[in-house]
Amino acid sequence: MPTKLSHYDESGKSKMVDVSVKSATRREAEASAFVAMSPRVLKALNGNPKGDPLETARLAGIMAAKKTADLIPLCHPLPLAHVDVQLRQCENGVAISSKVKTTAETGVEMEALVAASVAALTIYDMCKALDKGIEIREVRLERKSGGKSGDYIRKK
């Protein structure tokens, strides 16, 4: 486990990590988020006049993963091989999962987290007219593989 943050130089200034000496390897990451909403809003998801909020959110998550380096200042632009975003209506909201794959010198954890986050924000945007109290919760990395730090799986 590293003992210091990687995105700072010796004087404390922000820096982009130099990955030029690393080999490109297969890397994957999965993230999740949850959008908590009232039963009234959940019921309205299926007849939304703006369109299907879940499909719109799925596409927004995919598009966001591809723009991660534009959103997060020190992220490297990566050639994404695959992005998958799944949304599932639950009893008290919408569960979101994202999966991102690449072959690159650095991982895709941020791309998976951005995909899940933007999908959740899109659901909020599509449903906020009914309830401004919708909550986005539990945005987190679930799993990652590849790279120097090895595999990570969130403990349940």
Side-chain angles (χ1 to χ4, degrees):
M1 189 84 145
T3 58
K4 64 179 187 152
L5 297 174
S6 60
H7 287 80
Y8 296 94
D9 67 15
E10 297 76 29
S11 67
K13 289 194 291 188
S14 300
K15 70 170 187 169
M16 186 178 226
V17 174
D18 182 358
V19 298
S20 64
V21 297
K22 293 183 173 185
S23 297
T25 60
R26 181 179 173 89
R27 296 158 188 266
E28 295 183 18
E30 294 179 29
S32 64
F34 188 77
V35 182
M37 58 184 66
S38 69
R40 178 174 88 90
V41 178
L42 260 173
K43 186 177 178 184
L45 286 176
N46 297 328
N48 192 311
K50 288 184 176 181
D52 179 357
L54 301 187
E55 180 60 12
T56 303
R58 188 182 74 78
L59 290 173
I62 291 169
M63 292 172 65
K66 298 185 325 183
K67 294 291 189 178
T68 299
D70 293 335
L71 299 169
I72 310 294
L74 300 175
C75 280
H76 295 83
L78 296 175
L80 302 183
H82 182 72
V83 179
D84 182 43
V85 177
Q86 298 292 319
L87 295 97
R88 179 177 50 85
Q89 277 187 250
C90 303
E91 180 181 332
N92 56 347
V94 177
I96 301 166
S97 64
S98 64
K99 185 178 201 176
V100 182
K101 297 179 184 180
T102 191
T103 300
E105 296 81 9
T106 191
V108 287
E109 297 91 355
M110 293 307 300
E111 287 74 7
L113 287 161
V114 166
S117 299
V118 170
L121 288 166
T122 302
I123 291 170
Y124 184 94
D125 181 50
M126 300 285 293
C127 300
K128 69 183 183 238
L130 295 178
D131 183 5
K132 306 275 190 280
I134 295 167
E135 295 180 8
I136 296 171
R137 301 178 180 167
E138 302 163 16
V139 177
R140 59 191 186 195
L141 181 67
E142 297 292 344
R143 182 185 75 78
K144 77 99 168 162
S145 64
K148 184 172 79 173
S149 66
D151 294 352
Y152 167 82
I153 299 174
R154 174 173 293 284
K155 291 183 172 78
K156 298 295 176 188

